[in-house]
Amino acid sequence: GETGGGKTTVCQLWAWLFAKDLTVVNCHQHTETSDFLGAYRPAPPQEREEGRLFTWANGPLIRCMEKGELFMLDEVSLAEDAVLERLNSVLEPGRTLTLPEKGGSDPVPMVAHEDFRVMATMNPAGDFGKKELSPALRNRMTEIHVTSLSKQTDLAIILGKRLQGAVHQLAPLLVQFLNWFQESQGRQISIRDVMAMCTFASRAAAADGPLPTPLTPGLAYAVSIDAILLAGIAIGTGMSESQAAKIREESYTFMAGQVEGLPPTLEAFLGLRFWDVCGREPPSVPAKSKASYSFNAPTTQHNLSSILRVLWTLDGRGVLLEGSPGVGKTTIV
């Protein structure tokens, strides 16, 4: 299914429901069979004293097979087919695996515990370098398409649960906006972004939140959508700046029709500096750098405001800056 659709979370819930430990291996183009089968490692000190320099260490797949636990390959389609083919015998009815890598003249096949299960997740083939799995692996697994949570009933339940405090009353409006956006722009919004919007709006408007002066519910609602969805609307899509600006204008017009008290135009909204509306001290250049840097330029202030509103409001969320070479991405950080 699409990214942010809840594939990994479903697997984690499955493990929790059956009270099983879940081991996750994140696949990538450099994944090797040793990453899940195991390999020879330097021996611990006590074994070195006995003259053994290296000892075999079971990988996560072998441990799960022995203990009857759940084993999950995340983003499985990123790994090379030659690596994944080693799983074929494990997925057969006999559920066996032979380890010639371990050495020995006559390796004995190991049989998986009856409770052992294999799960895997992947995004659609062709999505940012993703590829199809080999038929040999696919026909050994049951495939399930995980649909995006885009229905109005899904969103209403999630937003009603996640929007807290002063912005809880705005849950129906956010459902309305997300449905309008997906239908008018033909873009799916991941549940990961929806959850981030809820967290941002709830914390920004909370009296006991991270901001000295909480935002009004309407402003917190609009800023959360702009910060999480609209500010990076063109990243990774090949969209031109004019197209992104048009989407942002249409979205702001829609939001302004939903809630009262917003600035009259998008230009005025984007002109707000987050430190002015949340009661924080304006950022200043350290004294030793004043001769080299200035935060007074409007574009620099806008960029800095966009960064700080996320850092001040969302604990632990990363920030990705994308722009042409030489515009000052590294310098502003």
Side-chain angles (χ1 to χ4, degrees):
E2 300 290 345
T3 182
K7 301 182 295 296
T8 303
T9 303
V10 165
C11 295
Q12 292 170 334
L13 287 173
W14 185 24
W16 177 78
L17 288 170
F18 287 94
K20 294 288 185 181
D21 288 334
L22 173 67
T23 299
V24 180
V25 173
N26 295 297
C27 296
H28 48 83
Q29 60 180 345
H30 300 299
T31 297
E32 299 177 349
T33 54
S34 59
D35 292 329
F36 51 86
L37 295 182
Y40 276 99
R41 311 292 186 194
Q46 61 270 23
E47 293 188 17
R48 292 182 189 177
E49 294 175 0
E50 301 173 2
R52 301 175 61 183
L53 298 180
F54 295 91
T55 184
W56 176 264
N58 285 334
L61 175 64
I62 306 302
R63 293 194 295 270
C64 291
M65 290 178 67
E66 291 176 339
K67 298 178 182 179
E69 297 173 352
L70 305 181
F71 178 73
M72 175 181 152
L73 290 167
D74 197 19
E75 301 288 2
V76 63
S77 57
L78 293 181
E80 294 295 331
D81 290 339
V83 174
L84 298 176
E85 294 298 321
R86 292 291 274 117
L87 290 172
N88 288 353
S89 63
V90 179
L91 300 172
E92 292 284 0
R95 293 149 55 87
T96 61
L97 181 66
T98 303
L99 289 174
E101 295 92 342
K102 196 171 181 180
S105 57
D106 188 19
V108 178
M110 66 173 297
V111 181
H113 189 285
E114 61 179 5
D115 292 335
F116 169 72
R117 292 291 184 275
V118 176
M119 293 174 285
T121 68
M122 63 177 283
N123 293 337
D127 180 24
F128 295 99
K130 308 300 192 307
K131 58 182 176 58
E132 289 285 2
L133 294 178
S134 69
L137 182 61
R138 298 187 75 145
N139 61 29
R140 285 175 168 84
M141 303 186 78
T142 299
E143 296 183 75
I144 299 173
H145 178 64
V146 180
T147 57
S148 301
L149 298 178
S150 57
K151 294 182 179 179
Q152 188 164 343
T153 50
D154 292 332
L155 294 173
I157 293 172
I158 294 171
L159 297 180
K161 187 83 170 179
R162 296 292 298 188
L163 281 174
Q164 304 291 325
V167 294
H168 178 74
Q169 59 184 338
L170 300 180
L173 299 184
L174 185 52
V175 172
Q176 186 182 27
F177 174 84
L178 294 174
N179 281 326
W180 167 82
F181 186 86
Q182 292 180 127
E183 291 176 3
S184 63
Q185 306 301 331
R187 295 169 58 96
Q188 288 292 323
I189 302 174
S190 76
I191 195 62
R192 192 176 289 128
D193 285 342
V194 173
M195 301 280 272
M197 289 180 211
C198 293
T199 302
F200 188 106
S202 298
R203 288 170 60 84
D208 57 349
L211 304 181
T213 303
L215 274 58
T216 63
L219 186 58
Y221 167 80
V223 174
S224 69
I225 294 174
D226 187 69
I228 304 302
L229 178 63
L230 301 178
I233 192 69
I235 291 180
T237 63
M239 185 184 300
S240 66
E241 290 188 14
S242 60
Q243 289 175 309
K246 183 174 183 293
I247 292 176
R248 213 169 184 179
E249 180 74 45
E250 293 173 350
S251 298
Y252 186 77
T253 301
F254 190 92
M255 288 188 289
Q258 289 182 300
V259 295
E260 298 179 352
L262 294 182
T265 64
L266 175 63
E267 184 178 1
F269 174 74
L270 296 178
L272 294 175
R273 299 295 172 248
F274 196 67
W275 47 83
D276 292 334
V277 297
C278 75
R280 290 260 192 163
E281 286 292 325
S284 59
V285 178
K288 63 179 182 180
S289 302
K290 284 188 176 180
S292 304
Y293 299 103
S294 172
F295 284 159
N296 296 329
T299 300
T300 303
Q301 288 208 348
H302 170 72
N303 292 337
L304 191 62
S305 176
S306 298
I307 296 170
L308 292 179
R309 65 184 178 182
V310 176
L311 296 180
W312 284 342
T313 312
L314 290 178
D315 293 338
R317 185 171 176 91
V319 177
L320 171 64
L321 306 183
E322 178 178 312
S324 302
V327 298
K329 302 182 293 296
T330 303
T331 301
I332 201 168
V333 173

